[in-house]
Amino acid sequence: MRDVRRWRRHYNRSARSYDWKEFLWSFLLGYSDRKERLRMVRRLRLKPGAALLEVSAGTGTNLLLAAPLLATDGRIVAQDISRGMLEECRAKLQRKGIAAEYAESDAAQLPFVDAAFDAVLSFGGVTMFGDRQRAIDEMARVAKPGARIVIGDIGLPAKRRSSPFGRGILLVNARYGEDPPLDMLPDGLTDLRLTWFRGETC
Ligand SMILES: C[S@@+](CC[C@H](N)C(=O)[O-])C[C@H]1O[C@@H](n2cnc3c(N)ncnc32)[C@H](O)[C@@H]1O
C-alpha cells in the first residue's frame, strides 16, 4: 500500500513534465525514445481489431504508437494508478483522434474480466508495483489464451552493474539494480524471451 500511495502522489505531481523528462533521459543515454518504444510495441504483434491493455500506461506514449496497428476497430485500454497521468494520456490520445478507455486502479487489482485482451503491455511500472507478483498474475488473468504479454522496465544486465556507467546510474536510481522478475512468471508460457533495450538500460 505504501508504494501505491507514494507512486500515485509522485506521478500526479509530475504528470505534466513526464514526457519531457523521458525525452531528456533518452537523449542523455543516447537512444531514440520513439524507436525503442516501437521495438517494444512491435513485440505485441498487434492485429487490426485486437484488444490491447497497457498496465501503468502513464501518459500513453506507447498507446499512441500502437493505435495505428489496431486500425479503427481495435480496443485500447489505458490503466494506471495515477489520475494525473491518465488525464495526460487522455488528452494526448484525443488530440490524435484515438478512442480509448481509461481505468484508474492498482495493477494488482485490474478491473477487467478474465481473458479480455489479445495483448497486454506494461512498461516502466513493474519495479514500482507494491505487489509485483499479483500484478503479473493479473496481467496473465486478463490476457486471452495465446495473447502476447510484453513487460518491461528499467534495469541493467548483471555485467554492466559494476561498470562506471552502471555504478553511476545506480546512484541516480537504485531500481536499475533489480533483476527482471522471471521467477514470478506464470506457468504455461510459450515463446518466452528476455531482451535488453534502450541501450541496455531496460
Ligand atoms: C515510468 S512510468 C511509465 C509510463 C508509461 N508506461 C511509459 O511507458 O512511459 C510508471 C507508471 O506506473 C504507474 N504506476 C506506479 N505504480 C502503479 C500501480 N501500483 N498500479 C498501476 N500503475 C502504477 C505510475 O503512475 C506511472 O504512470
Side-chain angles (χ1 to χ4, degrees):
M1 182 52 87
R2 194 180 64 82
D3 287 332
V4 171
R5 286 212 200 102
R6 171 182 167 209
W7 291 117
R8 182 193 288 125
R9 203 171 331 120
H10 171 83
Y11 279 102
N12 278 340
R13 279 198 202 125
S14 58
R16 296 187 77 176
S17 58
Y18 176 80
D19 285 353
W20 265 108
K21 285 188 200 144
E22 278 293 279
F23 175 77
L24 190 63
W25 194 235
S26 63
F27 180 76
L28 290 174
L29 294 185
Y31 60 79
S32 156
D33 184 62
R34 183 185 157 82
K35 274 192 195 152
E36 292 296 311
R37 286 177 186 276
L38 265 174
R39 267 181 77 196
M40 182 173 65
V41 166
R42 287 198 187 111
R43 285 286 172 94
L44 292 166
R45 293 196 201 146
L46 297 170
K47 296 197 177 71
L52 166 65
L53 166 68
E54 183 170 0
V55 174
S56 65
T59 59
T61 310
N62 302 316
L63 295 174
L64 207 57
L65 298 171
L69 305 171
L70 298 170
T72 48
D73 55 344
R75 178 181 178 210
I76 294 177
V77 182
Q79 180 276 351
D80 204 282
I81 197 78
S82 155
R83 185 170 298 178
M85 293 295 264
L86 285 177
E87 279 167 7
E88 289 295 314
C89 178
R90 187 193 299 271
K92 194 147 86 180
L93 297 186
Q94 275 180 352
R95 276 198 297 276
K96 297 282 178 189
I98 298 166
E101 298 158 49
Y102 301 88
E104 189 184 331
S105 82
D106 183 357
Q109 284 179 304
L110 295 178
F112 312 111
V113 297
D114 296 359
F117 296 96
D118 301 291
V120 179
L121 170 65
S122 183
F123 176 67
V126 176
T127 57
M128 298 172 193
F129 296 161
D131 191 342
R132 201 171 305 177
Q133 178 68 71
R134 215 165 138 206
I136 291 171
D137 290 346
E138 279 290 88
M139 291 185 224
R141 178 184 68 75
V142 301
K144 291 179 187 173
R148 291 185 76 84
I149 303 177
V150 171
I151 301 175
D153 208 342
I154 55 173
L156 296 171
K159 63 176 177 357
R160 278 198 101 189
R161 290 181 198 166
S162 52
S163 70
F165 172 81
R167 287 201 301 268
I169 207 168
L170 281 165
L171 278 179
V172 176
N173 187 342
R175 287 186 295 116
Y176 277 94
E178 293 194 19
D179 290 320
L182 294 174
D183 53 330
M184 296 185 183
L185 301 180
D187 294 334
L189 294 179
T190 53
D191 193 16
L192 172 64
R193 291 187 220 175
L194 172 65
T195 307
W196 295 100
F197 69 122
R198 295 183 161 230
E200 289 198 322
T201 61
C202 287

